[in-house]
Amino acid sequence: MDSGTSTGAGENSGNENKSIIVVGAGLAGSLLAVYLAKRGYKVDVYERREDIRTAEIVEGRSINLALSTRGLTALEKAGMGHIGRQLGTPMYGRIIHAQEEDPKLQFQQYGVDPKQHLMSISRTVLNERLITAAEEYPLVKFHFKHRCLKTDFAKTSIQFLNEETGETVTATADVILGSDGAYSSVRAALQKTQYFNFSQYFLDHAYKELTLSPAADGSYQLPSNGLHIWPRENFMLIGLPNLDKSFTITLFMPVKMFESLQTKEDVRRFFSIYFPDALRLMPNVPDQYFANPTGSLVWIKCDPHHKDHVAILGDAAHAMVPFYGQGMNCCFEDVRVLDELLEKYNDDWDQVLPALTATRTKNTDAICQLSYRNYKEMSSHVSHADYLLRKKFDTMMNYFFPASWIPLYSMVTFSNIPYSEVIERSEWQDRVVGKIKTAAPVVALGAASLLALYFPRSRAFVRQALTNLADRL
C-alpha cells in the first residue's frame, strides 16, 4: 500500500459499516476511492469502460495534463505525491514560437520563483497508477464495464448494466458520488430534479492531438523544460513533453478552420504557413491529422452539486476548457475539500454535502471562467509587448509585496487560494494598475515641467518627449 500521511480520521475511523458508491473510475473517482478507504468506508467503484490497464485503446480525451500545486497537494494528502513526481516532466515556463521557419524561441518563466514549475503528465498513465493504488485497499472494489442506467435518490441506489453479462445490477449505499465525467449519468439524473440549475456551452473551437516523436538518437527534438506555444491570434499549437522524449502536440482552432482542411495537401500547406518549424520536425503531420479524431471543447456549470445523499464531483460538476491546465487539479481539489469537510463535520453527510455545494460551486464557477478567458492569452497575448510588460510589473510588485501582490497565474497555479478569491484579488490588482496608468501621464507632465523650468537647455528634449507621450495617449 502507498505510504504517506493518512487523511482525516484514518483507516479505523468507525466508518467500516458505511458504504459508498463511486460512479466513474477516472482520475477523480480513483483518487476519491483512496481518500474514502483511508477514512474506513467500504467503496465500490463502477466504471462504464473496460479497465484501462488492460485496454488496447483508451477512450476519451488524452490531452496531456499539467499537474500543479492544487493537484499535488491532494495527492500528497493521500500519501501519493511521489506518483505525480515520478510520472511527470517538469515545465518551468512557456516557450514561444514565432511564425518563422527557424524562430528564436522565447522563454517566459511561469512563476515569480524560478523553481516553480508544472509537471507534464499522461492522463492514462496517472489514471492507471491511481486505480492500482486504490485497489490495494481491501475496502475498495472496482466494477468495470458497468453502465449507469438509473439513479434512485430516495433509496440511495443506482442501477447498472453489466455489459459483459447483460445482467442488470442494482447497488445500494449510504452515499453515491458521481465522478463520471463531463457527460455524467449521475448529473443527468440530477437534472431531472427540481431546483437543479445547469448550463452547457460548446466553444466554436475544437482540438486535435498529434505526436512529435523523439529524435533519431532518442533525445527530445525541442527543449523539454517548458510548455511550447505557437500563438497565432485566433488559434494555436501547444506541445507538452513526455517521459519517453516525445511531445504531445495539440492544435486548437475554430471548428470552421478544421472543416476547411479537406486534404493532406491542405494540412501541409496550412502548417507550412503557420507552423513551419513544427512541420519540419513532424513531416507526417498530414497523416496524423486525418488518423486522429477532432475533439470538442465544452464548459459545464451546475448548482447544486448534490441532492439527498447523492453528489457529483470533478468534470461531472464543472467541466472546463483546458486553457489553464486546471481540470485535473480542480477535480483533485474537490476530493481534498470533501475530505476536509468530512473531518470538520465528523462524517455527517447531511452536513457535508450541502457544505460541499456551498464551498465548491462558487470556486468551480470561477475557474471555469478563468479557463475560458485564458485561451485568448495563450493564443494571442503571450507574444504582445503589453502582456510582457505587465508580467514584469507583477513580478516586481510581488518582490516588494510578496504577501499582498501575487500574479494571477501564480495564484491559480502555485497556490491553494480559493479560485473565487483569486478572481477578487486579481480584479483588485487590475484596478491598481489602471490607476497607475491614469496617474502616470500626470506625473510625467509634472516632472517634465520641473525639468524644463530648472534646466532650460532641456526644453527641446522635454517638448519632444511630451509630444511622443501625447501621441501614445
Side-chain angles (χ1 to χ4, degrees), residues 119-134:
M119 298 292 283
S120 173
I121 194 166
S122 163
R123 176 189 300 273
T124 301
V125 174
L126 177 59
N127 201 169
E128 290 173 348
R129 289 289 296 272
L130 290 178
I131 291 173
T132 298

Side-chain angles (χ1 to χ4, degrees), residues 23-86:
V23 183
L27 295 172
S30 51
L31 181 62
L32 186 57
V34 172
Y35 266 83
L36 293 170
K38 280 180 171 290
R39 298 194 70 85
Y41 290 100
K42 177 180 179 296
V43 185
D44 284 278
V45 184
Y46 290 85
E47 168 59 48
R48 176 185 61 83
R49 300 172 299 175
E50 63 182 308
D51 189 338
I52 61 172
R53 294 168 298 181
T54 58
E56 292 185 9
I57 300 176
V58 179
E59 298 178 20
R61 296 171 301 157
S62 55
I63 296 175
N64 266 40
L65 305 168
L67 179 66
S68 57
T69 296
R70 296 172 197 271
L72 189 57
T73 299
L75 287 174
E76 286 176 340
K77 192 178 180 188
M80 296 189 295
H82 62 287
I83 291 180
R85 286 185 285 269
Q86 287 172 358

Side-chain angles (χ1 to χ4, degrees), residues 210-213 268 279 281-289:
L210 309 165
T211 299
L212 171 59
S213 301
R268 186 176 299 281
L279 179 61
L281 299 174
M282 295 189 299
N284 65 339
V285 160
D287 294 327
Q288 289 196 58
Y289 183 92

Side-chain angles (χ1 to χ4, degrees), residues 129-144:
R129 289 289 296 272
L130 290 178
I131 291 173
T132 298
E135 278 188 331
E136 291 179 355
Y137 290 87
L139 291 169
V140 176
K141 183 175 181 181
F142 283 82
H143 308 264
F144 296 102

Side-chain angles (χ1 to χ4, degrees), residues 79-304:
M80 296 189 295
H82 62 287
I83 291 180
R85 286 185 285 269
Q86 287 172 358
L87 299 180
T89 303
M91 301 185 296
Y92 294 87
R94 295 167 173 163
I95 301 174
I96 310 301
H97 295 244
Q99 193 173 329
E100 302 169 6
E101 178 65 35
D102 190 17
K104 182 179 180 181
L105 304 184
Q106 179 190 43
F107 180 82
Q108 296 177 4
Q109 182 177 301
Y110 274 136
V112 292
D113 182 345
K115 295 180 181 179
Q116 291 177 323
H117 63 277
L118 311 179
M119 298 292 283
S120 173
I121 194 166
S122 163
R123 176 189 300 273
T124 301
V125 174
L126 177 59
N127 201 169
E128 290 173 348
R129 289 289 296 272
L130 290 178
I131 291 173
T132 298
E135 278 188 331
E136 291 179 355
Y137 290 87
L139 291 169
V140 176
K141 183 175 181 181
F142 283 82
H143 308 264
F144 296 102
K145 292 188 176 181
H146 278 68
R147 179 160 57 87
C148 178
L149 298 177
K150 182 181 178 181
T151 302
D152 189 323
F153 295 95
K155 296 180 180 179
T156 319
S157 67
I158 193 162
Q159 191 178 83
F160 298 95
L161 173 65
N162 183 331
E163 295 188 331
E164 279 193 318
T165 65
E167 178 187 7
T168 299
V169 178
T170 300
T172 303
D174 294 288
V175 176
I176 296 172
L177 298 174
S179 58
D180 48 339
Y183 304 103
S184 166
S185 297
V186 179
R187 189 191 65 239
L190 281 168
Q191 287 175 237
K192 298 175 183 178
T193 64
Q194 284 188 319
Y195 309 115
F196 184 85
N197 298 305
F198 168 79
S199 65
Q200 174 179 284
Y201 175 70
F202 278 95
L203 273 67
D204 60 358
H205 286 59
Y207 72 90
K208 187 178 289 287
E209 187 175 280
L210 309 165
T211 299
L212 171 59
S213 301
D217 62 359
S219 62
Y220 286 107
Q221 292 204 62
L222 290 170
S224 63
N225 63 327
L227 182 150
H228 291 258
I229 304 180
W230 289 256
R232 301 296 182 261
E233 295 295 336
N234 195 37
F235 58 99
M236 67 176 176
L237 199 67
I238 69 170
L240 285 83
N242 298 310
L243 288 177
D244 66 359
K245 306 302 173 64
S246 68
F247 277 84
T248 298
I249 306 292
T250 309
L251 173 63
F252 294 95
M253 65 183 185
V255 173
K256 289 183 178 179
M257 291 183 68
F258 276 109
E259 293 173 347
S260 70
L261 304 181
Q262 294 292 316
T263 68
K264 291 183 179 180
E265 185 54 37
D266 290 341
V267 174
R268 186 176 299 281
R269 186 183 306 110
F270 174 77
F271 269 78
S272 67
I273 294 172
Y274 295 107
F275 311 114
D277 61 326
L279 179 61
R280 177 168 48 82
L281 299 174
M282 295 189 299
N284 65 339
V285 160
D287 294 327
Q288 289 196 58
Y289 183 92
F290 288 103
N292 298 343
T294 301
S296 60
L297 296 168
V298 65
W299 173 4
I300 289 173
K301 296 194 298 181
C302 61
D303 180 34

